[in-house]
Amino acid sequence: MVKNKKDSTTEARLLAAAKKVFTTKGLAGARMQDIADEAGINKAMLHYYFRDKDKLFEVIFLEEANKFFPKINKIFESDMPLFEKIEQFVNEYIDEMLENPYLPWFILNELNRDADQFLSKIWDIKNRPNPAKLLQQIEREVKKGTIKKISPIHLLMNLLSMTIFPFIARPMIERNLQMTAAQFDNMIAERRKEIPKFILDSIKK
Amino acid sequence: MVKNKKDSTTEARLLAAAKKVFTTKGLAGARMQDIADEAGINKAMLHYYFRDKDKLFEVIFLEEANKFFPKINKIFESDMPLFEKIEQFVNEYIDEMLENPYLPWFILNELNRDADQFLSKIWDIKNRPNPAKLLQQIEREVKKGTIKKISPIHLLMNLLSMTIFPFIARPMIERNLQMTAAQFDNMIAERRKEIPKFILDSIKK
DNA sequence: ACTTTTATTAACCAAATGGTTAAACTGAAT
DNA sequence: ATTCAGTTTAACCATTTGGTTAATAAAAGT
C-alpha cells in the first residue's frame, strides 16, 4: 500500500492529531499544545492553517459528518422493505463506528454542552439525520398489519439505542464485563445480526 | 412541602450548583467561577469546603453513585423471575434519570476521558454495576427453554441500550424529532412499558 | 540572480483560570 | 465584654492556555 502523499503534509498531520486529541479529551479538554505535540509540529502551525481552536474543531467535525450522515439519510429515505432497511442501517452505522469510534461521542458531547451553538453554527441542517420517512414507513406497516402494533418513535429509539449505545459506553462495558478489545470487536460484529434479529422477533406477527 | 434547612446552607448550595455546571459543561469545561456564580457565593468557598476542583467533582459523583448503583445491583442479584427483573430495572433506572438526568452522561464522559484514573481513584469497586447474576439467570432460562435462544451479553446490552441511550442522546432526539421537553418526558414514561414489552415480545417462545 | 510568496520556528503576550491569603464578620461559649 | 472557632469576602498570585509576532528558511516565480 503506497502512502498517500497528502497524509504526511503538515496540515494533514495536524488534522489527524487534532482528531485524536479532541476525541479523547473533548473540545474544552483538548489543548492546542497537545495537538501540536501529537503531530510533532509547532503549535503556531495550527493557527496558521486553521485560524483558531473552534475552526479546527469545525473542520474535523464537518469532514466526517458530511461523509457519514448523507449515507444514513439515504437509507432512511430509500424504498426498501422495513426489515432490510433496519439491516442496512445497523451495518452502515457499525461500519462507521469501527472506522471512527469517536464520532457519536463527539456529537453527543457537543450537543449536550451547547446544542444551539453546535447545531446552528457547526452542524449544517442538510447533514442532520432525518428519520421522517422511516417513521412513516413503520406506521404504514403497522396499519397494513404486516408487523405488530408499535409506536414508530419507540421502534426508532430502540434501533438507534441498540446500535449506538455500545460504542458510547465502550469503556464501561469493557471494564464491567471484563472484555478485551478483541472481545468487544467480536461482540460488535455479532450485533450486525443480533440487532435485526432481536427487532424482527419482537415486531413480527 | 417544607424546605429542608440543609438545602440552603452554603455547602449544599455550592454542591447543587456544581452538579449543574459539571453536568452541562463537563469536568474540563466547568469553571469554578461559574459554579460560584450559579450558587451566588464567593468562589473561595468552593476551596474552603472542597479543597480543589477534582475533590469537588469526586464528592458529587460519589454521592449519587453510592445511592444509585447499589439499588441496581440489588435488582441484578435478586431472585425475581427474569421478566420482572427487567421491568424493575427499567423503572428504577428511569426514576433515577428523571431525578438526575446528568448521571449517565457524567459517568460515561469521565470514563471515556480517563477510565483508569476514574475507576481506580473515584469509582469505588463496591458501587460499580455488576450484572453477573443476571447474565447467569438468562443463560439458565435459555437452557431451560423458557425463552428463545439468545446470548446473555446481547440481551443485557439491548436492555441497557434501550433504557439509557435516550437520556444520553436527549438533545439530539429533541432536536431531530422536534420534541418539546414535555413530549420527551412523556415518551420516557411510555418506555417504562415499551421496553419490557419489546424485550418480552422478542424473547418469549 | 533576485524577488516574492509560503511555510516554520521560538519567543512572547494577554486573558482566563485554579487556587491562596489576609482581613473581616458572625455567633456561640466563657 | 471578650474570646475564639468557623465562615465569608475581595484582592491577589502563579500557571495554563489560546493566540500573536517577528525573524527565518524554503519554494516558487521572474
Side-chain angles (χ1 to χ4, degrees), chain A residues 142-204:
Chain A
V142 170
K143 271 186 186 149
K144 276 198 293 179
T146 47
I147 60 173
K148 280 188 199 152
K149 189 166 176 292
I150 185 172
S151 148
I153 291 280
H154 285 289
L155 179 51
L156 172 63
M157 203 75 66
N158 293 346
L159 172 63
L160 293 173
S161 298
M162 290 190 286
T163 309
I164 304 173
F165 182 77
F167 292 98
I168 296 171
R170 177 167 191 165
M172 166 171 280
I173 292 167
E174 288 189 350
R175 296 292 174 137
N176 283 22
L177 299 179
Q178 288 158 325
M179 275 187 193
T180 64
Q183 286 173 316
F184 182 87
D185 288 343
N186 187 53
M187 179 211 73
I188 290 296
E190 290 169 3
R191 285 185 82 69
R192 290 176 189 267
K193 298 209 160 172
E194 286 286 343
I195 295 171
K197 180 180 186 307
F198 192 80
I199 294 177
L200 184 66
D201 279 351
S202 186
I203 65 176
K204 78 179 173 210

Side-chain angles (χ1 to χ4, degrees), chain B residues 178-195:
Chain B
Q178 288 158 324
M179 274 189 195
T180 63
Q183 285 173 318
F184 182 87
D185 288 344
N186 187 52
M187 179 211 74
I188 291 296
E190 290 169 2
R191 285 184 82 69
R192 290 176 189 267
K193 300 208 160 175
E194 285 287 341
I195 295 171

Side-chain angles (χ1 to χ4, degrees), chain A residues 3 7 14 61 66 72 112 125 138 151 180 183 186 205:
Chain A
K3 211 182 196 176
D7 289 349
L14 288 175
F61 171 74
N66 287 339
I72 293 297
N112 237 37
I125 197 153
I138 295 169
S151 148
T180 64
Q183 286 173 316
N186 187 53
K205 276 196 162 169

Side-chain angles (χ1 to χ4, degrees), chain A:
Chain A
M1 189 171 70
V2 180
K3 211 182 196 176
N4 186 342
K5 217 172 200 174
K6 278 216 169 172
D7 289 349
S8 54
T9 62
T10 297
E11 188 174 357
R13 288 177 58 197
L14 288 175
L15 272 175
K19 212 175 203 174
K20 187 170 173 184
V21 176
F22 276 136
T23 301
T24 46
K25 311 242 177 153
L27 174 58
R31 302 280 153 250
M32 295 298 269
Q33 190 62 59
D34 290 347
I35 297 172
D37 290 348
E38 175 75 33
I41 287 168
N42 191 289
K43 176 170 72 98
M45 297 313 282
L46 282 170
H47 295 96
Y48 179 75
Y49 282 107
F50 308 104
R51 191 183 223 75
D52 61 31
K53 196 183 181 185
D54 285 329
K55 291 272 191 314
L56 172 60
F57 181 87
E58 189 180 323
V59 166
I60 290 179
F61 171 74
L62 284 180
E63 183 184 312
E64 216 51 50
N66 287 339
K67 258 193 287 174
F68 178 54
F69 289 103
K71 279 191 211 163
I72 293 297
N73 280 336
K74 199 178 270 177
I75 295 176
F76 278 157
E77 287 156 20
S78 90
D79 288 325
M80 275 178 277
L82 179 60
F83 184 64
E84 202 176 313
K85 208 178 260 196
I86 290 172
E87 270 186 318
Q88 277 210 20
F89 172 85
V90 171
N91 277 306
E92 192 72 63
Y93 224 105
I94 290 181
D95 282 346
E96 172 72 16
M97 296 303 98
L98 289 177
E99 263 185 64
N100 294 301
Y102 66 91
L103 230 210
W105 186 255
F106 206 55
I107 294 174
L108 291 176
N109 214 338
E110 296 313 310
L111 221 41
N112 237 37
R113 231 177 32 97
D114 187 347
D116 287 316
Q117 206 239 315
F118 185 71
L119 288 171
S120 66
K121 290 198 179 166
I122 295 182
W123 200 352
D124 196 303
I125 197 153
K126 286 178 304 201
N127 306 320
R128 293 187 214 166
N130 176 17
K133 272 259 175 70
L134 177 64
L135 293 173
Q136 290 162 21
Q137 183 175 15
I138 295 169
E139 208 173 355
R140 254 183 285 124
E141 300 279 353
V142 170
K143 271 186 186 149
K144 276 198 293 179
T146 47
I147 60 173
K148 280 188 199 152
K149 189 166 176 292
I150 185 172
S151 148
I153 291 280
H154 285 289
L155 179 51
L156 172 63
M157 203 75 66
N158 293 346
L159 172 63
L160 293 173
S161 298
M162 290 190 286
T163 309
I164 304 173
F165 182 77
F167 292 98
I168 296 171
R170 177 167 191 165
M172 166 171 280
I173 292 167
E174 288 189 350
R175 296 292 174 137
N176 283 22
L177 299 179
Q178 288 158 325
M179 275 187 193
T180 64
Q183 286 173 316
F184 182 87
D185 288 343
N186 187 53
M187 179 211 73
I188 290 296
E190 290 169 3
R191 285 185 82 69
R192 290 176 189 267
K193 298 209 160 172
E194 286 286 343
I195 295 171
K197 180 180 186 307
F198 192 80
I199 294 177
L200 184 66
D201 279 351
S202 186
I203 65 176
K204 78 179 173 210
K205 276 196 162 169

Side-chain angles (χ1 to χ4, degrees), chain B residues 103-116:
Chain B
L103 230 209
W105 186 254
F106 206 56
I107 294 174
L108 291 176
N109 214 337
E110 296 314 310
L111 221 41
N112 238 36
R113 232 176 31 97
D114 187 347
D116 286 316

